[in-house]
Amino acid sequence: MQKQLHPNISVDCVIFGFDFEKLNVLLVERTYLHPETKEVIFSDYTLAGNHVYVDENLVDAAKRVLNNLTGLDNIYLEQFYAPEDPGRLLKKNDQLWLKKEGKNPEERVVSVCYFSLLNCKEVSIQKKDRNVDWHPISEIRNLGFDHDIILAQALKSLQVKLQNEPIGYEMLPLKFTLSQLQKLYEVVFDMEFDKRNFRKKVSKMKYLIQLDEKQKGVSHKPARYYIFSRDVYEKTKSDILNFSV
Amino acid sequence: MQKQLHPNISVDCVIFGFDFEKLNVLLVERTYLHPETKEVIFSDYTLAGNHVYVDENLVDAAKRVLNNLTGLDNIYLEQFYAPEDPGRLLKKNDQLWLKKEGKNPEERVVSVCYFSLLNCKEVSIQKKDRNVDWHPISEIRNLGFDHDIILAQALKSLQVKLQNEPIGYEMLPLKFTLSQLQKLYEVVFDMEFDKRNFRKKVSKMKYLIQLDEKQKGVSHKPARYYIFSRDVYEKTKSDILNFSV
DNA sequence: AAAAAAAAGTGTACATGGTACACTTTTTTT
DNA sequence: AAAAAAAGTGTACCATGTACACTTTTTTTT
């Protein structure tokens, strides 16, 4: 891998995190100070992203961005979109920011976007010099660049994917309870589900394996733990069709 | 739109066409002759694609490529993938070809890929100087560049999309029969369906509207024609969830 | 020690949707 | 008039989705 960033190619990462209560997205604060007076000209948030090295695989670049913020490797990543508009970086604030960052603000940048899935509780965010933190998805608006559009696409793609594959486990700890799993589906789809029906449904998933172990330290009846078996999943998944619309 | 192609950004189009019998893809023949002896060094096929103009929207570039080959506007287009490998154009034949085309073969090119849907019978292919034609998807292999990978992704994306939205109509004439619609689903999913069950299923789709008109000039009982009503579809589509895996 | 609080865990009846399956009808061709 | 070709049609069974409320287990509080 050659150590030079390509001026026209970037990746952006929509990093979803579940904290057992809400669906969150990892955002980077962007505060632009007046070059002389140092007063705040604007301050907002963006997704995590970076240009790719000239000889770097796109998904490797996304992994690098993710590793930079979380210190983690082997995180679930899914390519979902590339913004189409050549004017995607031309808003006034974005231009100021790009200049400050030493970029040529006129340069067209095609960004290939990935979403990744994490359990908030198991990540320690590597802040370094930047202010990086989880934000509940319901409260996110007015992101920098075209990142509102990218985030909206990411959520749709996550929903489609979660309808078709059991990727929710990527956002849960190794051992989790059925209530936690249900809450995860509820926050991703922004819907509530009936507890008995949800359990009936997941009880058919053979790759969901009940442990003898129970929760500890909770001030109510402790729940049974479950684990996800990738092995069982890979062996039992069958390509069922239902062109439902 | 500035009339200069960006050296690092391209679009590729997987143009699917249905001919009432098979699923086809529009391919461009690529024959490389020895610069002096004019003997054929290699000859194969590629998807349709082109670099984008420096100030051109990606989807507009895909529309342009499509219009170039078919003369058509307002064709269904869906972005589905961007190849990730920086070495995607480095195979020997591809390098020869790029040089011949006046491109810098060392230059990294990120391609954003679209699939589009057509009815073969309603398209007259604009061959110009190139040999462009429909190829049954089952017979396609060893495409140039990384186009085998792109095509495989396109087919998966088409299947997912067709399971969730009634985009099959994009590959049929305005008026079509239920047998034609069934055949379309069969070739896309490479499965056979039961006629009665298929009809029971589509009879629930209110945007499928039966006409009084019947087929003419067929040597058997003529079938009723149906049309797709986008209006009815848009009004009745409800976001039903089934996280089925 | 008893009561309250909190969430876990459980079953049934009904409606809807999927699946397996074969013959009659209508039209053209011979 | 008969044959060929594809259109068109219904039922029984099984699986899945949905609506719905109480008991159990544990901790916390009094």
Side-chain angles (χ1 to χ4, degrees):
Chain A
M1 189 203 306
Q2 210 175 312
K3 281 289 172 197
Q4 200 189 337
L5 293 171
H6 197 294
N8 304 111
I9 311 173
S10 73
V11 291
D12 284 297
C13 293
V14 178
I15 306 171
F16 289 112
F18 179 56
D19 60 6
F20 301 122
E21 288 177 7
K22 310 171 258 62
L23 184 63
N24 299 293
V25 178
L26 200 60
L27 298 179
V28 181
E29 193 179 308
R30 182 177 77 154
T31 299
Y32 184 85
L33 305 177
H34 190 286
E36 284 134 38
T37 67
K38 303 297 176 199
E39 66 177 325
V40 174
I41 305 296
F42 68 87
S43 181
D44 58 9
Y45 297 91
T46 67
L47 298 170
N50 201 347
H51 285 251
V52 310
Y53 288 109
V54 290
D55 203 14
E56 186 180 32
N57 188 298
L58 296 177
V59 74
D60 290 339
K63 284 179 191 169
R64 176 169 56 76
V65 167
L66 203 51
N67 179 270
N68 233 310
L69 290 175
T70 65
L72 298 172
D73 294 307
N74 293 108
I75 294 300
Y76 179 91
L77 268 175
E78 178 88 16
Q79 191 199 110
F80 68 95
Y81 181 60
E84 298 170 331
D85 182 0
R88 54 185 289 267
L89 307 179
L90 298 183
K91 281 184 298 182
K92 201 177 116 227
N93 286 351
D94 300 331
Q95 291 276 299
L96 281 173
W97 184 260
L98 290 169
K99 253 177 261 173
K100 194 215 73 164
E101 294 280 291
K103 302 270 192 319
N104 175 359
E106 312 262 306
E107 197 76 77
R108 176 167 185 177
V109 182
V110 166
S111 180
V112 177
C113 301
Y114 291 79
F115 70 80
S116 61
L117 305 178
L118 294 175
N119 175 4
C120 292
K121 307 287 187 184
E122 286 175 336
V123 183
S124 63
I125 296 160
Q126 320 275 302
K127 304 222 174 190
K128 298 179 182 168
D129 55 335
R130 299 184 296 178
N131 186 10
V132 183
D133 225 330
W134 295 110
H135 294 253
I137 194 164
S138 58
E139 293 173 13
I140 298 173
R141 57 185 55 83
N142 300 325
L143 295 177
F145 306 117
D146 55 351
H147 291 186
D148 283 328
I149 296 169
I150 294 173
L151 176 58
Q153 284 279 348
L155 181 59
K156 268 191 223 164
S157 300
L158 169 60
Q159 289 172 343
V160 169
K161 197 81 186 169
L162 188 57
Q163 269 174 47
N164 295 303
E165 289 178 49
I167 56 171
Y169 309 100
E170 306 285 348
M171 290 196 262
L172 290 165
L174 196 62
K175 300 178 213 168
F176 52 87
T177 70
L178 293 187
S179 294
Q180 289 168 348
L181 184 64
Q182 178 174 344
K183 187 74 191 173
L184 170 61
Y185 277 89
E186 290 180 338
V187 299
V188 169
F189 292 108
D190 194 22
M191 287 178 69
E192 296 199 343
F193 300 109
D194 175 85
K195 199 196 323 190
R196 278 172 292 187
N197 292 342
F198 183 85
R199 282 162 191 247
K200 201 194 302 177
K201 180 144 195 167
V202 300
S203 71
K204 279 172 212 139
M205 304 171 177
K206 293 189 181 142
Y207 47 79
L208 237 192
I209 294 166
Q210 194 183 53
L211 302 180
D212 289 332
E213 197 180 343
K214 288 179 186 168
Q215 271 184 318
K216 273 177 195 147
V218 288
S219 67
H220 53 77
K221 176 173 175 178
R224 299 283 294 265
Y225 278 125
Y226 287 75
I227 56 169
F228 169 67
S229 165
R230 185 166 305 280
D231 274 12
V232 176
Y233 172 61
E234 296 295 341
K235 277 170 194 147
T236 60
K237 72 175 156 187
S238 55
D239 307 347
I240 295 153
L241 288 180
N242 60 325
F243 44 93
S244 32
V245 170
Chain B
M1 188 201 305
Q2 211 174 313
K3 282 289 170 193
Q4 198 189 340
L5 292 171
H6 197 295
N8 304 112
I9 311 173
S10 72
V11 292
D12 284 299
C13 293
V14 178
I15 305 172
F16 288 112
F18 179 56
D19 60 7
F20 301 122
E21 287 176 7
K22 311 170 259 62
L23 185 63
N24 300 292
V25 179
L26 200 61
L27 298 179
V28 181
E29 193 180 309
R30 183 177 78 156
T31 299
Y32 183 84
L33 304 177
H34 189 286
E36 284 134 38
T37 67
K38 304 297 175 198
E39 66 176 326
V40 173
I41 305 296
F42 68 87
S43 181
D44 58 9
Y45 296 91
T46 67
L47 298 171
N50 201 347
H51 285 253
V52 310
Y53 287 108
V54 291
D55 203 13
E56 185 181 33
N57 189 298
L58 296 177
V59 73
D60 290 339
K63 284 179 193 169
R64 177 169 54 79
V65 166
L66 202 52
N67 179 269
N68 232 309
L69 290 174
T70 65
L72 297 172
D73 295 306
N74 293 109
I75 294 300
Y76 180 91
L77 267 175
E78 178 87 15
Q79 190 200 109
F80 68 95
Y81 181 60
E84 298 171 331
D85 182 1
R88 54 184 291 266
L89 307 180
L90 298 182
K91 282 185 296 181
K92 201 177 116 232
N93 286 352
D94 299 332
Q95 291 277 298
L96 281 174
W97 184 261
L98 291 169
K99 252 177 260 171
K100 195 216 73 164
E101 294 280 291
K103 302 269 193 315
N104 175 0
E106 312 262 305
E107 196 77 75
R108 177 167 186 178
V109 182
V110 166
S111 180
V112 176
C113 302
Y114 291 79
F115 69 80
S116 60
L117 305 178
L118 293 176
N119 175 4
C120 292
K121 308 288 187 183
E122 287 176 337
V123 184
S124 62
I125 296 161
Q126 319 275 302
K127 304 223 170 189
K128 297 178 183 172
D129 55 334
R130 301 183 296 179
N131 187 9
V132 183
D133 225 331
W134 294 110
H135 294 253
I137 194 164
S138 59
E139 294 172 12
I140 298 174
R141 56 187 55 84
N142 302 322
L143 294 176
F145 306 116
D146 55 352
H147 290 185
D148 283 327
I149 296 169
I150 293 173
L151 177 58
Q153 285 279 348
L155 181 59
K156 268 191 222 165
S157 300
L158 170 59
Q159 289 172 343
V160 169
K161 198 79 187 172
L162 188 57
Q163 267 173 50
N164 295 304
E165 289 178 50
I167 56 169
Y169 309 98
E170 305 285 348
M171 291 196 263
L172 290 166
L174 195 63
K175 299 180 215 168
F176 52 87
T177 70
L178 292 187
S179 294
Q180 290 168 347
L181 183 65
Q182 178 173 345
K183 188 73 191 175
L184 170 62
Y185 277 89
E186 290 180 338
V187 299
V188 169
F189 292 109
D190 194 23
M191 288 178 70
E192 296 200 342
F193 299 109
D194 176 84
K195 199 195 326 189
R196 276 170 293 187
N197 293 342
F198 183 84
R199 282 162 191 248
K200 200 195 301 177
K201 180 143 193 167
V202 300
S203 72
K204 280 173 210 135
M205 303 171 177
K206 293 189 182 143
Y207 46 79
L208 237 193
I209 294 166
Q210 194 183 52
L211 302 181
D212 289 332
E213 196 179 345
K214 288 180 187 168
Q215 271 183 320
K216 273 177 196 148
V218 289
S219 67
H220 53 76
K221 177 172 175 179
R224 300 281 295 262
Y225 277 125
Y226 287 75
I227 55 169
F228 168 67
S229 164
R230 185 166 305 281
D231 274 13
V232 176
Y233 172 62
E234 296 295 340
K235 277 170 193 149
T236 61
K237 73 174 156 189
S238 56
D239 308 344
I240 295 153
L241 288 178
N242 61 326
F243 44 93
S244 34
V245 172

